[in-house]
């Protein structure tokens, strides 16, 4: 009970002091927040007047009111003893200054430079000159202006179709509105179009060639605006049947070319394989080469067989009685070097030729050889 009475007394004393003192803050309190675009500077106004009875030292204090009642307010700048104190560790450190070089003249306003979105909040200006004390609160709202929007179309751009013109800004504080205008031709939107300023779309229904042209979209909020431009071209519906027929013909031609290439490749491959098999067959039919000794032996054997074939039974007895040199030489005699070959008498050669003629054989002249085997 005593504590409540003490608080009531303090409140009454403060009220009485305020009524009797002449200190007043003349700046009107704004009912709406002070809006500013991000990156710009803003002035927070705080004008005051003094009276003769306000004889104490002048103190001006600007603070950022805490959004949570459990936290203390942050002092951002102070004027006391004819000196300004700005080096407070706050989000606006280095960016806040008094508007007047001498605030004693009644201007306690401050300037906040290059504001950021984090600077949004409630600021309080408190002027004290005993016995007078006055304060004023104001709300600062830092907004971002719209980013440059993107303009594009959705849907078909052929005649008789519905075309949607869309405008979108990726950044910017709400609320944001979009507006469209045509900058060429009649400079008015098509009669069949429907504009939605919130979503930023223009739906052109049953579009015709007259809807073609250049369009401009503007994205706007309370702190700025940005624009983009779109060129719309509404064309006639293409001949899809001709396109399909042309595509089919092109595909068939490609398949035909591929088939011809494969056919030529297979044919060339088979021809090469056939020629290779023919060459192998010819090589298999060719007999291996014979040596000189086997060739001579074959010739002599063939001659003797021919002679024997022409003999009659009456001549067999004479053939059996012929000398030893009329026999077919053996392989050892052919392999014997010329210096060791047997020397036949001249009469033996004549008798052999006579007997061959008598039996129907054809005599063959054998060149004479010397003792060392050379031909005469």
């Amino acid at each position: 009970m005593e504590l409540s009475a003490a608080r009531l007394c303090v409140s009454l004393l403060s009220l009485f002091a305020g009524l009797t003192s002449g200190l007043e803050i003349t700046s009107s309190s704004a009912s709406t927040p002070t809006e500013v675009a991000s990156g710009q500077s803003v002035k927070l106004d705080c004008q005051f007047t003094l009276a003769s009875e306000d004889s104490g030292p002048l103190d001006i204090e600007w603070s950022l009111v805490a959004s949570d009642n459990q936290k203390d307010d942050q002092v951002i700048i102070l004027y006391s003893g004819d000196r300004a104190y700005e080096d407070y560790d706050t989000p606006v450190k280095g960016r806040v200054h008094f508007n007047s070089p001498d605030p004693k003249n009644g201007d306690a306003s401050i300037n906040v430079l290059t504001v950021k979105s984090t600077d949004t909040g409630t600021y309080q200006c408190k002027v004290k000159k005993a016995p007078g004390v006055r304060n004023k609160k104001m709300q600062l709202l830092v907004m971002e202006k719209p980013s440059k929007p993107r303009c594009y179309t959705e849907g078909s751009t052929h005649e008789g179709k519905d075309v949607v013109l869309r405008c979108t800004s990726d950044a910017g504080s709400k609320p944001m509105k979009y507006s469209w205008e045509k900058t060429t031709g009649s400079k008015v939107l098509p009669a069949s179009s429907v504009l939605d300023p919130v979503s930023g779309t223009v739906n052109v229904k049953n579009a015709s060639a007259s809807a073609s042209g250049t369009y401009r979209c503007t994205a706007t909020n309370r702190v700025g605006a940005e624009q983009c431009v779109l060129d719309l071209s509404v064309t006639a519906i293409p001949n899809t049947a001709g396109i399909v027929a042309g595509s089919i013909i092109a595909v068939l031609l490609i398949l035909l070319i591929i088939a011809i290439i494969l056919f030529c490749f297979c044919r060339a491959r088979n021809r090469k394989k056939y020629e290779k098999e023919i060459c192998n067959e010819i090589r298999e039919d060719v007999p291996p080469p014979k040596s000189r000794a086997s060739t001579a032996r074959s010739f002599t054997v063939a001659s003797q067989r021919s002679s024997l074939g022409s003999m009659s039974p009456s001549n067999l007895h004479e053939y059996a009685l012929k000398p030893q040199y009329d026999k077919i030489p053996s392989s050892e005699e052919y392999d014997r070097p010329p210096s060791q070959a047997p020397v036949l008498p001249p009469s033996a050669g004549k008798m052999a030729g006579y007997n061959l003629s008598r039996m129907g054989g054809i005599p063959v002249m054998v060149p004479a050889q010397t003792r060392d085997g050379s031909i005469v």
Side-chain angles (χ1 to χ4, degrees):
M1 186 69 178
E2 294 179 356
L3 182 61
S4 300
R7 287 181 178 177
L8 179 59
C9 291
V10 170
S11 300
L12 292 174
L13 289 174
S14 299
L15 179 61
F16 179 76
L19 291 174
T20 58
S21 66
L23 192 154
E24 291 291 340
I25 294 179
T26 59
S27 299
S28 61
S29 299
S31 58
T32 59
T34 300
E35 297 176 350
V36 62
S38 176
Q40 295 181 354
S41 299
V42 63
K43 177 184 176 181
L44 302 181
D45 194 31
C46 184
Q47 306 289 334
F48 66 93
T49 59
L50 298 174
S52 58
E53 60 268 22
D54 299 323
S55 58
L58 177 64
D59 291 330
I60 301 174
E61 179 184 288
W62 278 90
S63 60
L64 180 60
V65 180
S67 57
D68 187 355
N69 294 330
Q70 302 298 325
K71 296 182 180 180
D72 297 333
D73 298 343
Q74 282 185 308
V75 177
I76 59 175
I77 192 170
L78 178 68
Y79 181 86
S80 179
D82 297 335
R83 179 183 174 186
Y85 298 89
E86 302 176 352
D87 195 18
Y88 285 91
D89 189 13
T90 61
V92 295
K93 180 180 179 180
R95 296 185 290 116
V96 59
H97 309 282
F98 280 104
N99 184 59
S100 173
D102 190 4
K104 289 187 302 182
N105 296 329
D107 185 8
S109 304
I110 59 173
N111 294 321
V112 182
L113 309 178
T114 318
V115 295
K116 304 177 182 179
S117 58
T118 54
D119 297 338
T120 298
T122 301
Y123 293 79
Q124 176 177 264
C125 172
K126 181 184 290 186
V127 180
K128 296 186 295 183
K129 189 172 178 65
V133 177
R134 290 288 186 271
N135 61 65
K136 173 188 176 182
K137 292 182 180 180
M138 61 199 74
Q139 188 176 3
L140 175 64
L141 178 60
V142 180
M143 303 180 65
E144 291 187 6
K145 69 177 184 178
S147 62
K148 188 173 181 62
R150 295 182 298 110
C151 294
Y152 56 96
T153 61
E154 290 182 350
S156 175
T157 57
H158 296 144
E159 291 183 345
K161 303 293 183 178
D162 291 347
V163 182
V164 178
L165 311 183
R166 186 173 292 277
C167 179
T168 304
S169 181
D170 296 331
S173 300
K174 307 297 182 181
M176 190 181 301
K177 292 183 179 181
Y178 298 91
S179 61
W180 282 90
E181 59 180 332
K182 190 177 182 182
T183 59
T184 58
S186 61
K187 295 187 178 181
V188 293
L189 296 178
S192 60
S193 63
V194 178
L195 171 64
D196 187 346
V198 177
S199 63
T201 60
V202 175
N203 188 1
V204 182
K205 298 183 178 180
N206 194 19
S208 61
S210 61
S212 300
T214 302
Y215 293 79
R216 180 170 57 210
C217 171
T218 303
T220 308
N221 63 6
R222 289 196 292 265
V223 293
E226 286 290 342
Q227 298 177 341
C228 63
V229 176
L230 173 66
D231 291 327
L232 176 64
S233 178
V234 180
T235 58
I237 299 177
N239 185 7
T240 55
I243 295 175
V244 172
S247 301
I248 294 175
I249 293 174
V251 171
L252 292 177
L253 287 176
I254 293 173
L255 293 177
L256 179 61
I257 292 173
I258 294 174
I260 292 173
I261 293 174
L262 292 176
F263 174 76
C264 294
F265 175 77
C266 295
R267 186 175 181 182
R269 185 176 179 183
N270 292 335
R271 180 180 297 175
K272 186 176 181 181
K273 182 178 180 181
Y274 176 75
E275 292 176 354
K276 187 175 181 181
E277 292 177 354
I278 292 298
C279 293
N280 292 336
E281 291 177 0
I282 293 175
R283 291 176 183 175
E284 292 175 358
D285 293 341
V286 176
K290 298 181 180 180
S291 62
R292 293 178 60 188
S294 60
T295 304
R297 188 183 302 112
S298 300
F299 176 78
T300 306
V301 172
S303 300
Q304 293 295 335
R305 289 178 178 175
S306 177
S307 301
L308 291 173
S310 61
M311 287 183 181
S312 61
S314 60
N315 296 331
L316 293 176
H317 177 70
E318 296 180 1
Y319 180 78
L321 296 177
K322 286 184 179 181
Q324 184 68 24
Y325 52 78
D326 285 338
K327 295 181 179 179
I328 299 174
S330 62
S331 59
E332 296 179 358
E333 293 175 352
Y334 271 103
D335 297 336
R336 187 184 303 164
S339 59
Q340 299 178 6
V343 180
L344 300 177
S347 59
K350 294 179 180 180
M351 292 178 64
Y354 172 76
N355 292 331
L356 288 172
S357 299
R358 185 177 178 184
M359 290 184 291
I362 300 173
V364 178
M365 295 183 64
V366 178
Q369 298 181 353
T370 61
R371 290 181 177 274
D372 57 358
S374 58
I375 299 174
V376 179

